Amino acid sequence: MPRFSVVIPCYNAEDTLAETLESLLAQTEQDWEVLIIDDGSSDDTRLIAAAMAGIDMRFRLMKSDGTGPSAARNMALAEAGGEIIAFLDADDTWHPEKLERLDAFFEEESADACFGRVTLSDGRTVGTPTGPFEGTLTLDALLSENPVCTMSNFAIRLESFLASGGFNTDITHNADLEWLVRLIGDGAKVVGIDAPLVTYRVSDRGLSSDLEGMKAGRAIALISAARYGFSSTARSEAAHLRFLAARALRIGASGRQVLRLGLIGCTTSPRGWFSNPRHGTRVLTGALLSTLLPRLLRNALFSR
């Protein structure tokens, strides 16, 4: 049994998949298997994955029917043999010491799952890591600004994942958020690691670039959270709108959309918006200038 099962859902990822897989080969901890699920790609994604599987038997290629990453992840996890499940998206990369840090964490801690800090990249240059998260993740922190950021940043013990019931395949956007709500609501202990472990590629393509879809998915997550007695406050709503405004700036959304998110968020709860004063000031400034700054300049300033 390998220590880690790495789960990578792929859809038309020929431009990034090879780099993602190379970041696994560069890991200082090498006790792993990789389940690559081709979710109905029409490009050379499957060929790239098959070539890697032909070279290294730790890579296993699977095929899904194009129903989305949640179904692909559930499918892979039914076949996973590792003690710890680590998720990785096909356009992200891991820092070389990630699995070594996770191995030490799960050896020393009793937590069910963990996540680290994330470094943003526009595919050419790499920016500064997101801030650290201290303590145990709560529903309030998760539904405010989601410090996990991306599933590429999340690892969980296999038995804890199986107990969660898996991802809801009826949800297209933010299915990972809804799953995290159920995971934490049912009592799982999720802890932050103060180390940058993932490079997250900012893109104007993909599910996370659909801001309206993300909003609708979060609404479903809030319904799930309500079953655990959680209701969102003005403060958490403002922090979430700050999160959306920052994402809108990164993906080059229209200036009017960014400005609207910034103004609504700041007026909903100034305390919530400026709960991180530096970040709140930076995003609000970007929102106020968004209708004046050219899109390329906004991308350069906020995509890392």
Side-chain angles (χ1 to χ4, degrees), residues 221-251:
L222 284 170
I223 293 173
S224 294
R227 301 191 184 107
Y228 301 100
F230 175 85
S231 59
S232 184
T233 64
R235 191 175 187 275
S236 62
E237 287 300 309
H240 177 66
L241 287 166
R242 182 184 67 199
F243 167 79
L244 285 182
R247 185 178 291 272
L249 284 164
R250 291 181 193 126
I251 65 174

Side-chain angles (χ1 to χ4, degrees), residues 42-287:
S42 58
D43 63 2
D44 287 338
T45 293
R46 187 171 179 83
L47 293 177
I48 294 168
M52 185 62 75
I55 296 171
D56 190 327
M57 292 183 63
R58 292 176 298 176
F59 291 90
R60 296 166 56 190
L61 176 58
M62 305 171 69
K63 185 172 179 58
S64 186
D65 55 5
T67 53
S70 293
R73 289 177 179 130
N74 287 344
M75 174 184 175
L77 287 161
E79 302 291 330
E83 302 171 59
I84 299 163
I85 306 301
F87 297 97
L88 177 58
D89 290 342
D91 54 353
D92 297 333
T93 58
W94 282 350
H95 297 200
E97 72 283 2
K98 176 181 169 73
L99 289 182
E100 184 178 358
R101 293 294 298 262
L102 294 184
D103 182 50
F105 174 88
F106 283 107
E107 186 68 28
E108 298 169 2
E109 301 287 342
S110 61
D112 297 277
C114 66
F115 61 96
R117 300 169 68 183
V118 174
T119 305
L120 300 177
S121 170
D122 61 2
R124 299 178 298 277
T125 57
V126 176
T128 57
T130 57
F133 180 85
E134 298 180 359
T136 301
L137 185 61
T138 63
L139 289 179
D140 183 60
L142 178 66
L143 289 162
S144 294
E145 203 166 9
N146 189 5
V148 176
C149 183
T150 169
M151 284 302 292
S152 297
N153 190 33
F154 199 80
I156 183 170
R157 298 182 193 274
L158 177 59
E159 61 267 27
S160 299
F161 174 82
L162 294 176
S164 75
F167 297 90
N168 186 337
T169 58
D170 292 330
I171 303 174
T172 301
H173 297 84
N174 258 335
D176 52 344
L177 179 65
E178 194 275 338
W179 173 68
L180 287 169
V181 165
R182 287 187 282 113
L183 183 72
I184 294 170
D186 286 336
K189 183 179 181 181
V190 180
V191 176
I193 298 176
D194 186 8
L197 301 177
V198 176
T199 298
Y200 173 61
R201 186 187 296 265
V202 177
S203 172
D204 59 0
R205 298 180 295 173
L207 295 178
S208 64
S209 66
D210 182 351
L211 299 179
E212 288 302 314
M214 295 287 285
K215 181 179 178 181
R218 181 174 179 270
I220 296 174
L222 284 170
I223 293 173
S224 294
R227 301 191 184 107
Y228 301 100
F230 175 85
S231 59
S232 184
T233 64
R235 191 175 187 275
S236 62
E237 287 300 309
H240 177 66
L241 287 166
R242 182 184 67 199
F243 167 79
L244 285 182
R247 185 178 291 272
L249 284 164
R250 291 181 193 126
I251 65 174
S254 72
R256 292 181 63 182
Q257 185 178 22
V258 178
L259 179 61
R260 180 174 176 273
L261 288 168
L263 292 177
I264 294 175
C266 193
T267 55
T268 295
S269 171
R271 287 185 61 193
W273 184 274
F274 292 104
S275 56
N276 181 327
R278 182 178 178 183
H279 186 48
T281 300
R282 182 170 180 263
V283 176
L284 181 59
T285 301

